[in-house]
Each structure stands twice: as structure tokens, then as C-alpha cells.
Amino acid sequence: MRLSVKETPSKRTLNRFRNAVISWFDDNGRDYPWREDTTPYRILIAEMLLRRTTATAVLRVYSPFLATFSSIEELARADQAEIQRTVKGLGLQRVRANHLSRTSKTIQNDHGGEVPNDLDVLLKLPGLGRYSAAAILNFAFGQSVSMVDGNIAHLVSRVLDFESASPDDESIWKLVDNIGQPDHDRRLYWGMIDLVALVCLRSNPRCQLCPLNNLCEYYRKAT
Ligand code: SF4
């Protein structure tokens, strides 16, 4: 029977989920420059570039972008057309450049050039949604906050047989918050992201290789 939005798996199950993902990430996680240097400006740029595109595509433009605009101040001064040229290849370049330009100007003018470390303030910046704002708080500032996007919702819902797989569903946020307690280790989130990209594919998931297969309801039903 599928878990309803009101039911929470046992603490033991949630701990096993978290520990398995972190341990798998330590051995198999992907290396990205935004996982090595997690200063707030770099994380902000990474999260804004990663929206609605792939990490592979972002990898091609990330370092050139930072070489061209090395700080909030430089980005805030830049011509929007130049920003657009720098993010070419990611798709939605006009919208993306507009958000990058407006967000950097707001941070420069209203926050002294420092990326805010407050959820409500971040959510007011153009181009940041709840996931990317939470990612900035967690990855750049080490705040103990959970984050849910479509991929994380997909993984959690498959393993725990949760009836919702939507990142817009508050119950998924609550469930992920319980998994991440007490510290919301960033490796848990990087691990879930990588597991969906490499193992828990939407079609033909590679369950034999999955560190969660002894917990996973989807796998249990399939076998
Ligand atoms: S066991 Fe299979 S379905 Fe379950 S999380 Fe792993 S890859 Fe996905």
C-alpha cells in the first residue's frame, strides 16, 4: 500500500536511506567545480545556471562565466547582452541573462554585494525558486535546510512508495526534511541528485547497482 501524505516512514528507515546515499556519494559522487568551491557567489551562479538545463551543459559555460564575471560587482555592471552571450548553449539565455543581471544588481545595490543568507530575501531575487534558494543556504552557508526538486521527489517517492512525487507538494518537503535530519549534510543532496542521474533513471532504473535497493518499494514490487 502506498504511503499517504500523512504517514511518515520509521526513523530507522529514514536513517538507512540517508546513510546509504551519503556512503554511496562518498565513493561514486560526481566532481563538479561548484562542489569544490562553495563560496556564495559561485553557488549562486551555479544554481541559476543549473535551472532547467543539465549539469553537463552548465559545465561548458561555468568556468568561462566566472572568468568573465568574477564577482557580483562585475556581473552587476555587465551589459545584459554580454551575459546572454556567456550563457549561450544553456537554453532560455535571454531569460537567464535577465535574471542574472537583475539579481546581481539587487544584491550589489541592496545587500552590499553580499549574497543574502536568508530564505525570504533569496526568494525575492529574480530567477531563484524555493529549491535554488535552499541550495544556496545549504551548500554556500552550511545551513541545515532541506531541498526538493523534481529529481529528489522522484527518488524519494520511488524508494518510500510515497503517493506524491511533486516538488510542489509540501508533504514531500516534510519527508525530505525528516530524511535529512539532523544536519542536512550536503552529500545527501548531491548523492540524491547523482543517483537519479546515474542509477535511478526514469526508464530502466539500474536497481542492481543501487545502494537503496534493499529499502526500495519500487524495486521490491518489480521483483
Ligand atoms: S532500487 Fe531501483 S527504483 Fe529503487 S531507488 Fe534504486 S534504482 Fe531507483
Side-chain angles (χ1 to χ4, degrees), residues 19-177:
N19 294 340
V21 173
I22 290 175
S23 171
W24 178 87
F25 177 80
D26 285 343
D27 293 334
N28 302 282
R30 297 176 296 179
D31 293 325
Y32 288 117
W34 51 87
R35 290 178 178 177
E36 285 158 20
D37 185 337
T38 57
T39 48
Y41 175 63
R42 285 170 175 255
I43 293 291
L44 170 78
I45 297 304
E47 291 304 325
M48 292 188 78
L49 297 183
L50 282 163
R51 291 192 84 188
R52 296 170 182 265
T53 190
T54 64
T56 305
V58 173
L59 208 46
R60 285 194 287 269
V61 307
Y62 183 70
S63 295
F65 186 99
L66 290 171
T68 308
F69 312 112
S70 66
S71 65
I72 284 285
E73 191 178 357
E74 281 186 18
L75 187 56
R77 272 204 312 261
D79 183 75
Q80 199 170 305
E82 189 189 0
I83 302 175
Q84 196 170 318
R85 279 195 297 280
T86 314
V87 299
K88 197 170 169 208
L90 296 185
L92 302 169
Q93 44 258 36
R94 182 181 282 187
V95 176
R96 213 180 287 278
N98 177 276
H99 286 165
L100 284 159
S101 176
R102 287 167 54 213
T103 284
S104 60
K105 282 181 169 59
T106 303
I107 294 175
Q108 183 63 30
N109 296 334
D110 299 350
H111 304 284
E114 301 289 333
V115 176
N117 61 359
D118 179 276
L119 182 63
D120 292 333
V121 178
L122 286 169
L123 286 174
K124 290 193 181 111
L125 297 173
L128 291 186
R130 186 175 176 187
Y131 171 85
S132 42
I136 290 166
L137 294 178
N138 189 319
F139 299 153
F141 294 106
Q143 291 189 23
S144 177
V145 294
S146 62
M147 63 199 80
V148 180
D149 68 355
N151 288 328
I152 290 173
H154 155 80
L155 179 72
V156 167
S157 133
R158 265 194 178 166
V159 175
L160 300 174
D161 204 23
F162 207 57
E163 70 180 17
S164 169
S166 165
D168 297 328
D169 192 327
E170 202 55 45
S171 57
I172 281 274
W173 281 82
K174 187 161 184 296
L175 182 59
V176 173
D177 188 48

Side-chain angles (χ1 to χ4, degrees), residues 205-219:
R206 305 164 77 194
C207 300
Q208 297 291 342
L209 303 174
C210 181
L212 295 168
N213 61 16
N214 60 356
L215 277 181
C216 182
E217 277 299 305
Y218 181 99
Y219 181 56

Side-chain angles (χ1 to χ4, degrees), residues 8-19 159-160 179 212 215:
T8 305
S10 70
K11 185 84 184 144
R12 183 166 175 271
T13 299
L14 299 179
N15 284 341
R16 285 175 66 204
F17 185 115
R18 181 179 62 251
N19 294 340
V159 175
L160 300 174
I179 293 170
L212 295 168
L215 277 181

